[in-house]
Amino acid sequence: GNRRFMRAPVVHPSEATGCPLRLAFALRGIPRKPPDIINPKLILTFEIGHSIHRLLQRRYGMLEKDIEFTPEVPIGPETSEIAERLCITGHCDGIFKHKKTGFRLGLEIKSISGKGFSALSSISDRYKGQATVYMACLSLPYMMFLYVDKNSSLLEPIIYDFEPERW
């Protein structure tokens, strides 16, 4: 039956500040769409985005000796009291850590079209919500959004400060 398409009753950081109905479905373990309905073009778009993530994460893993980079940092009941209490499970794209000072900076990679990149002026509220979840669960004071233009490979970093009122 449809049991094989059911998802675990958890909230992913990208869902936490979105549609309340979608949040309720997530907590009940109800999938958004069965996999056979997903558009093949959308699957390719996600695969390209994941490839960009892996490439950048690999590059950041080769940084100078004073900076350590950890990719795909898990968020869940085993890593965060907040995540456990709110049933949040997911991964932050990465965390930079300065070895001498201990300063930590979260990384959220967003690959976007050339048109979206040229119109980029700020971080959307949806993404701020997602970053706020990562920052609260991982005790991060700042998050760097790294926008990547899929057409030209241009990069645009934008630093986001934790906003307690958003949390």
Side-chain angles (χ1 to χ4, degrees):
N2 284 340
R3 290 186 62 82
R4 67 187 173 122
F5 297 122
M6 297 303 283
R7 59 180 270 181
V10 298
V11 176
H12 296 282
S14 61
E15 300 170 318
T17 59
C19 170
L21 183 59
R22 183 177 288 174
L23 187 59
F25 284 169
L27 288 171
R28 294 194 52 141
I30 299 169
R32 283 190 259 180
K33 282 185 179 180
D36 59 334
I37 300 176
I38 298 173
N39 180 329
K41 183 179 177 190
L42 186 60
I43 292 171
L44 181 59
T45 298
F46 281 119
E47 287 177 355
I48 290 168
H50 287 297
S51 295
I52 290 170
H53 277 68
R54 283 191 302 277
L55 173 76
L56 289 170
Q57 289 168 331
R58 202 170 38 248
R59 287 303 222 177
Y60 289 137
M62 298 184 272
L63 288 173
E64 296 179 25
K65 61 182 178 199
D66 290 344
I67 298 174
E68 176 182 289
F69 178 73
T70 306
E72 294 299 318
V73 178
I75 297 169
E78 61 285 340
T79 61
S80 165
E81 230 177 83
I82 293 170
E84 180 177 26
R85 192 170 69 245
L86 299 176
C87 299
I88 296 171
T89 299
H91 288 85
C92 173
D93 288 339
I95 295 179
F96 296 97
K97 180 180 178 184
H98 191 270
K99 291 180 182 178
K100 292 179 184 173
T101 65
F103 176 80
R104 297 176 338 129
L105 172 70
L107 173 67
E108 178 61 18
I109 301 167
K110 298 293 183 191
S111 54
I112 58 178
S113 70
K115 183 178 176 184
F117 191 85
S118 62
L120 183 65
S121 61
S122 64
I123 303 163
S124 73
D125 281 344
R126 177 173 169 238
Y127 292 154
K128 286 180 182 179
Q130 179 182 1
T132 299
V133 171
Y134 292 141
M135 295 164 82
C137 292
L138 296 170
S139 300
L140 295 167
Y142 303 100
M143 196 83 177
M144 179 175 67
F145 281 85
L146 184 62
Y147 288 90
V148 182
D149 181 335
K150 289 189 267 190
N151 299 61
S152 68
S153 300
L154 289 173
L155 304 175
E156 180 67 35
I158 302 176
I159 302 295
Y160 176 65
D161 295 18
F162 184 77
E163 296 179 81
E165 65 279 3
R166 189 176 290 278
W167 180 244

